[in-house]
């Protein structure tokens, strides 16, 4: 056997990859021009490039920018900022193309509310996004198409989760149990860090995930459980791969998903590991199921499956396969969004110590030091609530929501929106709109308070979306946000570690907008 030098072997490998990509490009080019749709009277927008559409113009992903030595949007302008700025050229409704796929971006509260509240039957569907479809099979709650099956599944899940405490005061002990672990670990890690600071993300993510796990899997996990920590890390990595790596090209060239190397292979491995993890829990639930004493949502779903089968309903959508995708949706959505919201609030308070002190003073006055905060304290802590809401306004954890799709061709505000068009609500544009918010880029919790210090509910504040696809976990997220922020601020003072530059407030864009990692020093207030 002849052994080639590493440089020669690497060159040959690169040549094979290049040849494959050239072949793939030619194939896609031919298919593109064969299937190129003709659109008329669609909203205006920038001219797309051949094959890749606007994906190859101003919307260049960070990984491609890095390949060519360019600065990524994370150090310049974020993608949502660019999309919002396009309204100056094209108005609040404009068109983009991802490959040959037409995407219509909706900006501003009035336009978004009109689309999703006044035309829900048209704009509540989900598009067939290759990377998502491959992994979800268009089942579950978050990415499933709109229709009778989705409505039935969502109603069942929402009703069942409420029966186990979703949005109710009875869930408070479950949330506080995780916060006890956070407080103990924060003190321990802070002492061991010797002033270098503590990364809050793993602790917050673990506590938040345990709440949703208790509801859907009937189990909590120890913070040192290796398998569970591995799943949380895989979840984060999977979301990062889908957005900030060459794997995003799967949405233009679906066959890339099956490439046997690089991030494409890693994505399949992440999917496989998470699938095995969740299916083990479904199997255990089936083995230990007691129909008379359901422990969680999974048990309730399995009982419903049995009832449908007993009734001879062979066309029922209640299947073990569908259950798997629902659990996956709730596990990921119930962890990532809320954990990042909490991390954003704590980051803004670290960077604004005067606001942190004012929140702590309000908590001290209302709650005191002899008991932990409760959801019943919400109405008595208006400045604390206003601070949380202001951070949600500024960060918008899901700034572009989950893409919608036009289920039929329709006329909307003078434009034709063809059937199958991907519709993206730019929630960022709503929360940064200078026509409805004074000095919108400034952190100012007082904007959510009236002259007497009472909390103001603003119509234009929609961090959880709007319409029939509004976040199902909104009430749970609000509970966790309030209890986590108040409990931690009652107990600790947070500041950046010495010599640590303040992290950018543009964050990292994935499925959600996550803050960049920031180490904090934690000191007890008691």
């Amino acid at each position: 056997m002849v052994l080639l030098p590493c440089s020669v072997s690497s060159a040959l490998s690169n040549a094979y990859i290049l040849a494959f990509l050239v072949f793939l490009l030619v194939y896609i080019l031919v298919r593109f021009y064969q299937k190129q749709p003709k659109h008329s009277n669609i909203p205006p927008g920038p001219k797309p490039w051949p094959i890749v559409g606007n994906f190859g113009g101003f919307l260049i992903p960070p990984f491609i920018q890095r390949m060519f030595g360019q600065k990524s949007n994370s150090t310049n302008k974020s993608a949502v900022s660019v999309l919002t700025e396009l309204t100056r050229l094209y108005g609040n409704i404009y068109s983009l193309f991802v490959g040959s796929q037409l995407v219509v971006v909706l900006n501003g509260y009035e336009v978004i509310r009109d689309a999703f509240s006044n035309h829900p039957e048209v704009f509540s569907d989900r598009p067939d996004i290759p990377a998502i479809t491959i992994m979800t099979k268009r089942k579950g709650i978050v990415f499933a198409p709109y229709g009778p099956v989705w409505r039935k599944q969502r109603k069942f899940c929402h009703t069942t989760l409420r029966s186990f405490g979703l949005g109710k005061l009875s869930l408070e002990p479950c949330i506080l149990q995780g916060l006890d672990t956070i407080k103990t670990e924060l003190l321990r890690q802070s002492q061991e860090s010797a002033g270098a600071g503590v990364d809050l993300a793993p602790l917050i993510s673990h506590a938040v995930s345990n709440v949703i796990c208790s509801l859907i899997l009937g189990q909590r996990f120890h913070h040192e459980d290796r398998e569970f920590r591995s799943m949380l890390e895989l979840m984060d990595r999977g979301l990062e791969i889908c957005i900030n790596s060459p794997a995003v090209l799967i949405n233009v060239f679906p066959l890339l998903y099956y490439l046997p190397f690089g991030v494409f292979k890693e994505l399949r491995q992440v999917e496989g590991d998470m699938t095995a993890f969740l299916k083990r829990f479904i199997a255990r639930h089936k083995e230990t199921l007691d129909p008379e004493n359901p422990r969680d949502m999974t048990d309730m779903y399995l009982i419903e499956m049995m009832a449908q089968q007993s009734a001879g309903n062979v066309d029922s959508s209640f299947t073990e396969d569908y259950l798997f995708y629902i659990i996956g949706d709730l596990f990921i959505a119930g962890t990532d969004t809320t954990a990042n919201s909490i991390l954003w609030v704590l980051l803004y308070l670290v960077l604004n110590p005067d606001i942190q002190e004012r929140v702590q003073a309000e908590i001290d006055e209302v709650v005191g030091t002899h008991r932990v905060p409760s959801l019943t304290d919400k109405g008595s802590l208006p400045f604390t609530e206003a601070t949380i809401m202001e951070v949600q306004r500024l960060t918008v954890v899901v700034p572009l929501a989950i893409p919608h799709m036009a289920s039929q061709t329709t006329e909307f505000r003078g434009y034709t929106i063809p059937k199958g068009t991907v519709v993206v609500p730019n929630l960022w544009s709503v929360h940064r709109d200078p026509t409805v918010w004074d000095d919108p880029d400034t952190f100012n919790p007082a904007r959510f308070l009236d002259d007497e210090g009472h909390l103001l509910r603003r119509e234009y504040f929609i961090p959880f979306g709007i319409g029939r696809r509004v976040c199902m976990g909104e009430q749970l997220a609000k509970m966790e946000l309030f209890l986590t922020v108040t409990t931690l601020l009652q107990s600790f003072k947070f500041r950046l570690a010495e010599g640590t530059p303040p992290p950018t407030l543009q964050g990292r864009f994935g499925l959600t907008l996550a803050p960049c990692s920031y180490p904090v020093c934690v000191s007890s207030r008691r």
Side-chain angles (χ1 to χ4, degrees):
M1 181 175 64
V2 178
L3 295 179
L4 296 174
C6 288
S7 59
V8 176
S9 177
S10 177
L12 287 174
S13 178
N14 290 337
Y16 287 135
I17 293 172
L18 180 61
F20 173 81
L21 291 178
V22 169
F23 170 79
L24 184 62
L25 184 63
V26 172
Y27 172 79
I28 294 297
L29 183 62
V30 172
R31 298 288 292 175
F32 174 81
Y33 284 110
Q34 287 177 340
K35 294 186 175 183
Q36 183 66 18
K38 305 298 181 183
H39 299 297
S40 61
N41 193 37
I42 63 173
K47 185 176 180 180
W49 289 16
I51 304 176
V52 293
N54 300 114
F55 192 75
F58 61 92
L59 291 178
I60 301 176
F63 75 90
I64 292 181
Q65 296 178 31
R66 290 194 297 270
M67 285 171 58
F68 291 95
Q70 299 178 18
K71 291 184 178 180
S72 70
N73 285 334
S74 62
T75 57
N76 190 4
K77 290 183 178 180
S78 65
V80 287
S81 296
V82 173
L83 291 174
T84 302
E85 288 180 1
L86 285 176
T87 60
R88 299 176 186 174
L89 294 174
Y90 305 108
N92 280 341
I93 308 174
Y94 60 80
S95 297
L96 300 172
F97 283 87
V98 176
S100 60
Q101 173 64 59
L102 173 62
V103 178
V104 170
V105 183
L106 306 181
N107 300 271
Y109 175 74
E110 294 300 331
V111 170
I112 291 174
R113 182 187 61 81
D114 188 10
F116 300 120
S117 294
N118 298 335
H119 302 82
E121 295 297 334
V122 177
F123 294 119
S124 295
D125 210 349
R126 291 287 194 228
D128 185 357
I129 301 173
I132 300 298
T133 297
I134 288 170
M135 292 185 284
T136 68
K137 309 301 184 288
R138 291 177 64 76
K139 296 180 179 180
I141 297 294
V142 178
F143 300 104
Y146 181 76
V149 172
W150 176 83
R151 287 193 292 269
K152 186 186 301 183
Q153 298 285 341
R154 191 183 192 280
K155 181 179 179 180
F156 175 87
C157 291
H158 190 257
T159 301
T160 301
L161 290 174
R162 281 192 61 80
S163 71
F164 285 104
L166 180 68
K168 298 180 180 180
L169 194 62
S170 60
L171 192 61
E172 185 175 293
C174 177
I175 300 173
L176 292 176
Q177 183 178 346
L179 294 177
D180 285 339
T181 300
I182 290 182
K183 289 194 292 184
T184 302
E185 279 299 299
L186 273 180
L187 284 176
R188 183 185 67 79
Q189 293 184 23
S190 183
Q191 293 170 356
E192 293 177 354
S193 71
V198 176
D199 182 5
L200 294 170
L203 290 173
I204 297 294
S205 180
H206 183 274
V208 168
S209 188
N210 256 334
V211 175
I212 193 66
C213 283
S214 67
L215 290 172
I216 63 176
L217 300 178
Q219 180 174 342
R220 298 183 66 91
F221 297 86
H222 192 273
H223 65 275
E224 293 183 351
D225 186 298
R226 289 187 177 181
E227 183 182 36
F228 188 60
R229 290 175 64 178
S230 175
M231 285 304 102
L232 293 178
E233 291 169 2
L234 283 172
M235 180 186 71
D236 289 341
R237 179 56 181 157
L239 295 175
E240 182 182 358
I241 291 173
C242 286
I243 301 296
N244 292 321
S245 81
V248 73
L249 294 172
I250 292 170
N251 295 314
V252 182
F253 312 126
L255 290 176
L256 291 175
Y257 173 81
Y258 302 99
L259 290 181
F261 53 77
V263 292
F264 306 102
K265 179 180 180 180
E266 185 181 1
L267 182 59
R268 293 196 305 276
Q269 184 63 49
V270 168
E271 179 191 2
D273 289 345
M274 291 201 68
T275 296
F277 175 77
L278 295 178
K279 286 197 171 182
R280 279 198 297 273
F281 279 93
I282 295 176
R284 292 172 195 167
H285 273 68
K286 290 177 64 178
E287 293 171 359
T288 59
L289 178 66
D290 178 0
E292 301 300 322
N293 297 288
R295 299 158 292 187
D296 48 46
M297 195 205 78
T298 299
D299 274 359
M300 293 289 283
Y301 198 99
L302 292 172
I303 293 169
E304 180 66 20
M305 280 175 49
M306 294 166 57
Q308 295 283 347
Q309 292 169 1
S310 297
N313 190 355
V314 294
D315 296 326
S316 173
S317 60
F318 284 83
T319 65
E320 187 175 325
D321 192 41
Y322 216 106
L323 170 62
F324 164 74
Y325 289 107
I326 288 176
I327 292 175
D329 276 357
L330 295 177
F331 179 73
I332 293 174
T335 300
D336 196 54
T337 53
T338 304
N340 283 326
S341 295
I342 294 168
L343 291 170
W344 274 120
V345 173
L346 294 176
L347 175 58
Y348 268 85
L349 292 179
V350 164
L351 298 178
N352 296 272
D354 56 326
I355 301 296
Q356 181 178 167
E357 290 175 3
R358 186 171 171 184
V359 169
Q360 288 171 326
E362 184 179 64
I363 294 172
D364 291 346
E365 180 181 349
V366 173
V367 181
T369 61
H370 301 296
R371 67 174 178 88
V372 295
S374 167
L375 293 169
T376 57
D377 296 315
K378 247 189 170 188
S380 303
L381 297 170
F383 185 77
T384 301
E385 270 282 89
T387 299
I388 293 172
M389 292 166 70
E390 175 67 347
V391 175
Q392 287 182 288
R393 181 191 72 82
L394 280 168
T395 55
V396 200
V397 171
V398 191
L400 301 177
I402 304 295
H404 292 237
M405 185 184 74
S407 56
Q408 63 189 58
T409 299
T410 188
E411 296 296 315
F412 180 69
R413 295 202 162 212
Y415 298 111
T416 299
I417 311 296
K419 179 181 179 179
T421 298
V422 174
V423 180
V424 175
N426 184 0
L427 303 185
W428 181 275
S429 71
V430 177
H431 286 180
R432 298 289 183 121
D433 188 346
T435 67
V436 297
W437 305 98
D438 294 331
D439 199 8
D441 295 329
T442 300
F443 177 54
N444 177 23
R447 74 174 76 246
F448 284 100
L449 299 172
D450 63 18
D451 293 338
E452 297 179 353
H454 299 141
L455 195 67
L456 284 174
R457 302 292 178 183
R458 305 292 295 270
E459 180 183 11
Y460 311 104
F461 178 67
I462 51 172
F464 297 98
I466 192 170
R468 295 183 183 176
R469 287 284 189 166
V470 68
C471 176
M472 188 173 71
E474 177 177 353
Q475 293 304 315
L476 176 60
K478 288 179 177 178
M479 293 169 65
E480 292 184 276
L481 258 173
F482 177 79
L483 287 175
T484 302
V485 170
T486 53
T487 299
L488 293 181
L489 289 178
Q490 181 194 51
S491 301
F492 304 113
K493 178 179 180 180
F494 297 89
R495 62 177 176 82
L496 284 178
E498 290 294 334
T500 301
T504 174
L505 292 178
Q506 289 184 351
R508 298 177 293 107
F509 189 67
L511 177 65
T512 59
L513 184 65
C516 297
S517 178
Y518 59 96
V520 294
C521 289
V522 181
S523 55
S524 176
R525 297 184 65 230
R526 307 299 173 204

